[in-house]
Amino acid sequence: MTRKIPFVLLLLLALAPVGVSAPASSSPSSEFVRPSWGDGQLPAGCVVDRDPLNPDNLCYHMKVGLNALDSPKVDVDVLVPVSPAAERDMRVAEQAVMMWDGGLHYLADQMGLPWLKHGFEMDVRTHQVVVDPTGALEHPLSLVDPEIVVVVSNPAGGVGIGIDPVSFAGELGIVDGEGVPCASVPAPLDFGAWTDKPGFEQHGREKGGVYVEDCGGVGGNVCFAVNGAIDPVPGASDFFGLFDLVAHEFGHCLTLGHVGDGADGPWGPTPTNDIMAYSTDPPGVAKCVSTLDVEGFALRMSRYLDVDGDGSVDRHDHLAPNDVRGDGLNSFQVQHPDDHLYASSTGDPADCPQPDLGPVPLSYGSWTPKPVATTRPVLRASSLQVADGHVRVRGAATNEPLGKAPTERTARATDATSDSPTPVTDLTGVDVSVTRNTVHATMSVSQLWPLAQGGSVPAYSLLVSGRRFDSFIGTGDTSGTPQVMDNGTGYYLPEGSATWNYDDNTVTFRVRRDYLADQHIEAPYTVNAITGLHARGNDWIATTDAAPDGAGLHLAAPPMAPETRDAPVARTVRTSRVMLTPEGGASVQPTDSTLGVGLVSTVDSRDYYRLPVERQATAKVTLSWTGSTIFGLSANGGSGQRVEERDGSITVTVPWARRDLSITVDPQEVVEPTTYTLTARLTTVKADRDRDRVPDVADRCPARPGPSTSSGCPDTDADGLLDRADRCPTQASASASGCPTGADERIVLIVDGRRVASQTVVTGHGSAAFTLGGDVGRGAHRVVLAWVNDGEVVARVARRVG
């Protein structure tokens, strides 16, 4: 449908002086395009496969539907035990809930979801639990019809308050809206009592978890968000930050799961800044709600709210996640990183509203940000031709970042000596350069951690645009080989990514830019060097020094070097076979059993193999054995994998492998000593009918060219909807259907005051190209291009031609 431009607006466009533009657009509403709901309705550029090594898995995956929240009115009770800082602990926990309430409402508005913004409400009730000298409750506590109960509990022997929760007696009672008892929880502030409770889910490494009680009737479900961390000293560090931990567990009660770095991940690129991630990114900043969190929460709320605005709530309002099948147990919501923004004034996680953690009573943070300008609209006409009475204009509408972009590719910062607790954590400076291949940084310290000490207590870390890369010597490692771990994902970078030089007390990082790009960390880069203390492997305790002390070094970058990780396409179809196990096979023992959960204790008994891929191929990997042992097999790094299991064998087929594959043999239940063999058959792939460099074996649209990141399917109008899901595939729109509406941006071509043509564009992800033309007659003409958004002209250019 073509929308007519009012005559008054046309007149204003024609008469307005050259160079007029509206104020810069606001974030995050200006950058978010649309949520993608509905089974199989993935955003353009996303695949359903969660293999972290799949080169086409570029999007974020969130597990959803973790709790049967059954009301849009969410009553929350917060319980905190008496402590030396009870008021502050209560306030921190309360602010974690307020962060969700404010963030969900703010982003629902920014994302264009009025039914969600106005449809749900959250009420917080706080309770300070008083105990007598024996540790028993002085007064029974009965909570009326809560949807979520936040319990702040300190683990015995853990870091935090000096109250012994084991001696804390009493009972927490839950009654529904009609006063009928629903659930009783003995010793609710004893974290150990919760972990022993059947149905309690601790979610891997978290010092917390959730428990759901189905009250039925009026009461419905009650979700308990149990948190095992209290930091009673304002400003002191704790292994588990109370605010982020409460917020994370509360998110589980809002039905949201992890985003790829939990015990059940990884699932590919991880939004490490998300409150539902384990990561502490961005360092030193409390987290806030993301647009992905809102998409997941909206799925559940759509059962109780009028989504389509027809005045009733029925099955037509129910939204479905875009990956319903998921892992077979839970569905997933997949989001393109360009739509991943936060409940801050700019959409940037570094600008998230912060809680008040200070000692002043009744001091709270503000959880309703005011959007600020982050970009300015710029309209450019790259080509304007008038010939034989016809005009044709090409150009782009771009939201350009405010501020001056860095131009230097090298930078240096010095740091004062002796401003850290110890010489081994005292930074004296950092030198950074960016090449076509790497971010190269050398940090200087007063004294490197002595190799003779074995595992290093300090970690020497590099922050690249908020992502922390830690270099350390592992516990018990006396070889002196430093490891580098991406703290956001838990991935270990290749050997040589960091070197320690004891002659000049420096640590040099070489972080590959193609790896950064895989994690959606793009130039220009902001780089800091920091040191910190860590324990129990790589649990960060405290930051001890930074260089520079304030804002990081801002660096430009040359164009990235060409992709070299993909194997070439073969000229002919050939089949080859590879034996991956040594002659006679490989053996596993009953003690190697993983029970299907992978890492058991601190010992990883899985076996790993590398399958070289010299030419792009279909790979079939077969694991064979005799006996009753149960194995698992995965082949990561390709376009996906199909698993076929038979007695005594498993075959995994990867339709398209263009990089080396990582093979994992998982001895899940070894009932007796067992020997297995692992073989692979590689058949080169060549057929590619539409010549889009996605072979037909992996191309979901083999007759229409499209990128591999969309399984070979096109998005002709570049509006973020694949053509197969777009009702108007040649007309860009930010609408759910893909068809233009009055709310869409458009570029209008006006010649001599007369509207000649217009084209809708979607610029939320940065830029949109346009081509306009029409008949204008011979002679000289005044040509005006106007970018119209929300009924206003935000940018224009004008030229005289002929």
Side-chain angles (χ1 to χ4, degrees):
M1 182 180 78
T2 301
R3 184 189 179 207
K4 293 183 178 180
I5 305 298
F7 173 77
V8 174
L9 179 56
L10 287 174
L11 183 61
L12 291 174
L13 295 178
L15 297 179
V18 175
V20 166
S21 66
S25 56
S26 299
S27 291
S29 62
S30 62
E31 298 178 50
F32 183 83
V33 174
R34 72 168 67 78
S36 295
W37 287 308
D39 192 19
Q41 303 301 311
L42 300 179
C46 297
V47 296
V48 73
D49 185 44
R50 294 186 305 280
D51 176 1
L53 301 181
N54 182 342
D56 296 322
N57 178 15
L58 305 180
C59 295
Y60 299 146
H61 304 257
M62 168 182 271
K63 186 177 288 189
V64 294
L66 264 65
N67 168 38
L69 188 64
D70 56 8
S71 173
K73 186 179 186 303
V74 183
D75 292 320
V76 183
D77 284 300
V78 179
L79 280 66
V80 175
V82 169
S83 74
E87 188 279 335
R88 188 190 73 99
D89 295 335
M90 180 76 77
R91 181 161 37 92
V92 171
E94 187 179 1
Q95 287 180 97
V97 178
M98 295 167 65
M99 180 276 295
W100 275 105
D101 186 26
L104 288 170
H105 280 96
Y106 171 74
L107 282 181
D109 179 57
Q110 294 285 300
M111 295 165 66
L113 305 174
W115 62 269
L116 183 62
K117 176 187 176 183
H118 302 294
F120 89 94
E121 56 182 297
M122 198 175 291
D123 181 44
V124 185
R125 304 172 297 210
T126 57
H127 308 267
Q128 182 175 323
V129 181
V130 182
V131 298
D132 63 22
T134 67
L137 285 171
E138 287 190 353
H139 306 286
L141 182 61
S142 183
L143 308 180
V144 180
D145 194 20
E147 275 68 44
I148 301 175
V149 179
V150 176
V151 181
V152 178
S153 165
N154 183 54
V159 178
I161 185 173
I163 179 175
D164 183 2
V166 176
S167 66
F168 193 93
E171 185 174 281
L172 168 66
I174 306 290
V175 297
D176 67 15
E178 297 179 344
V180 178
C182 164
S184 61
V185 184
L189 301 181
D190 179 358
F191 187 74
W194 286 100
T195 58
D196 293 338
K197 195 172 182 64
F200 182 78
E201 296 186 23
Q202 194 171 353
H203 302 120
R205 304 190 307 244
E206 297 172 12
K207 202 63 179 180
V210 298
Y211 171 78
V212 179
E213 183 78 34
D214 184 2
C215 292
V218 175
N221 287 330
V222 180
C223 181
F224 296 87
V226 185
N227 307 273
I230 296 180
D231 173 15
V233 182
S237 295
D238 192 359
F239 287 128
F240 313 103
L242 179 59
F243 177 85
D244 279 352
L245 181 62
V246 171
H248 181 96
E249 298 302 336
F250 190 81
H252 287 318
C253 281
L254 292 177
T255 76
L256 306 177
H258 293 139
V259 289
D261 62 344
D264 41 5
W267 300 321
T270 302
T272 58
N273 298 300
D274 200 292
I275 190 60
M276 300 314 298
Y278 280 111
S279 165
T280 55
D281 289 348
V285 178
K287 302 189 179 197
C288 62
V289 179
S290 76
T291 52
L292 181 55
D293 301 330
V294 175
E295 290 185 22
F297 178 66
L299 290 168
R300 189 66 192 180
M301 288 295 99
S302 69
R303 295 171 177 264
Y304 314 109
L305 300 176
D306 183 11
V307 176
D308 57 17
D310 65 356
S312 63
V313 178
D314 54 31
R315 62 182 182 85
H316 300 292
D317 294 295
H318 295 182
L319 301 173
N322 51 29
D323 178 14
V324 170
R325 183 175 182 273
D327 59 7
L329 297 174
N330 289 94
S331 298
F332 284 77
Q333 179 67 14
V334 183
Q335 185 187 61
H336 194 284
D338 287 346
D339 278 322
H340 193 74
L341 302 157
Y342 290 83
S344 68
S345 58
T346 63
D348 190 314
D351 297 322
C352 282
Q354 296 299 291
D356 191 316
L357 306 180
V360 179
L362 303 178
S363 298
Y364 292 84
S366 174
W367 304 106
T368 305
K370 182 179 180 181
V372 300
T374 57
T375 61
R376 63 186 183 95
V378 176
L379 188 61
R380 291 187 175 90
S382 58
S383 171
L384 194 162
Q385 299 176 335
V386 178
D388 299 326
H390 187 84
V391 62
R392 183 177 179 85
V393 186
R394 292 181 179 179
T398 305
N399 290 310
E400 294 191 349
L402 294 174
K404 187 177 180 180
T407 57
E408 298 297 324
R409 300 174 183 176
T410 62
R412 171 180 297 180
T414 58
D415 188 62
T417 58
S418 303
D419 61 347
S420 182
T422 66
V424 294
T425 59
D426 185 25
L427 285 167
T428 59
V430 61
D431 288 89
V432 186
S433 63
V434 181
T435 70
R436 297 187 70 191
N437 295 298
T438 64
V439 173
H440 187 283
T442 298
M443 61 179 68
S444 304
V445 294
S446 293
Q447 179 185 336
L448 275 180
W449 177 260
L451 177 62
Q453 296 287 338
S456 59
V457 172
Y460 303 105
S461 303
L462 191 72
L463 291 180
V464 182
S465 298
R467 180 69 66 88
R468 198 179 85 215
F469 295 89
D470 299 331
S471 178
F472 57 94
I473 297 175
T475 303
D477 183 358
T478 58
S479 68
T481 302
Q483 303 177 61
V484 177
M485 189 184 81
D486 177 349
N487 181 68
T489 63
Y491 297 162
Y492 284 87
L493 274 59
E495 187 173 337
S497 295
T499 54
W500 294 17
N501 189 325
Y502 285 90
D503 293 331
D504 57 8
N505 289 307
T506 60
V507 175
T508 298
F509 283 84
R510 303 169 189 85
V511 182
R512 289 180 56 132
R513 289 182 62 195
D514 53 9
Y515 175 82
L516 293 173
D518 289 346
Q519 299 299 315
H520 306 292
I521 302 172
E522 306 279 358
Y525 303 110
T526 300
V527 180
N528 303 73
I530 63 172
T531 58
L533 302 178
H534 69 153
R536 295 181 301 168
N538 197 43
D539 285 338
W540 195 267
I541 301 175
T543 299
T544 52
D545 202 2
D549 287 325
L553 302 173
H554 302 289
L555 295 103
M560 281 183 59
E563 176 62 69
T564 60
R565 293 173 292 178
D566 289 352
V569 177
R571 295 184 178 181
T572 59
V573 177
R574 293 184 178 180
T575 298
S576 59
R577 289 174 171 79
V578 181
M579 175 65 75
L580 295 171
T581 44
E583 185 177 354
S587 299
V588 292
Q589 304 297 321
T591 54
D592 294 325
S593 298
T594 68
L595 304 179
V597 297
L599 188 65
V600 177
S601 182
T602 58
V603 178
D604 188 353
S605 57
R606 294 168 293 187
D607 293 333
Y608 299 91
Y609 299 87
R610 174 176 167 270
L611 176 59
V613 177
E614 298 179 357
R615 295 288 187 273
Q616 296 186 23
T618 294
K620 286 193 173 184
V621 182
T622 300
L623 176 71
S624 302
W625 72 95
T626 58
S628 301
T629 291
I630 299 175
F631 283 98
L633 177 67
S634 64
N636 298 102
S639 63
Q641 45 190 308
R642 299 192 299 265
V643 180
E644 181 181 1
E645 298 188 36
R646 298 179 179 177
D647 289 341
S649 72
I650 303 175
T651 297
V652 174
T653 300
V654 177
W656 180 29
R658 65 184 194 267
R659 298 180 185 175
D660 293 353
L661 299 182
S662 176
I663 314 300
T664 303
V665 176
D666 184 3
Q668 296 177 354
E669 295 183 33
V670 184
V671 297
E672 59 189 357
T674 304
T675 299
Y676 69 84
T677 59
L678 187 65
T679 60
R681 187 178 71 180
L682 296 169
T683 302
T684 55
V685 293
K686 183 181 179 183
D688 181 12
R689 278 187 286 166
D690 54 17
R691 298 183 180 180
D692 60 358
R693 298 186 179 181
V694 181
D696 291 350
V697 293
D699 198 332
R700 290 192 174 186
C701 302
R704 303 190 63 195
S708 60
T709 52
S710 293
S711 302
C713 292
D715 173 18
T716 301
D717 55 17
D719 62 359
L721 275 182
L722 294 177
D723 288 1
R724 64 188 184 192
D726 196 332
R727 294 183 182 178
C728 300
T730 61
Q731 296 176 277
S733 173
S735 69
S737 68
C739 289
T741 70
D744 281 311
E745 308 166 83
R746 62 193 64 234
I747 309 300
V748 183
L749 172 63
I750 300 169
V751 180
D752 300 331
R754 179 175 64 89
R755 175 184 178 277
V756 174
S758 71
Q759 177 182 328
T760 52
V761 291
V762 176
T763 66
H765 294 166
S767 183
F770 60 85
T771 300
L772 292 168
D775 295 326
V776 296
R778 298 181 183 277
H781 302 282
R782 176 178 171 82
V783 178
V784 176
L785 278 175
W787 179 355
V788 180
N789 190 3
D790 286 336
E792 297 183 2
V793 180
V794 297
R796 67 185 292 274
V797 294
R799 296 183 186 176
R800 291 192 177 275
V801 296

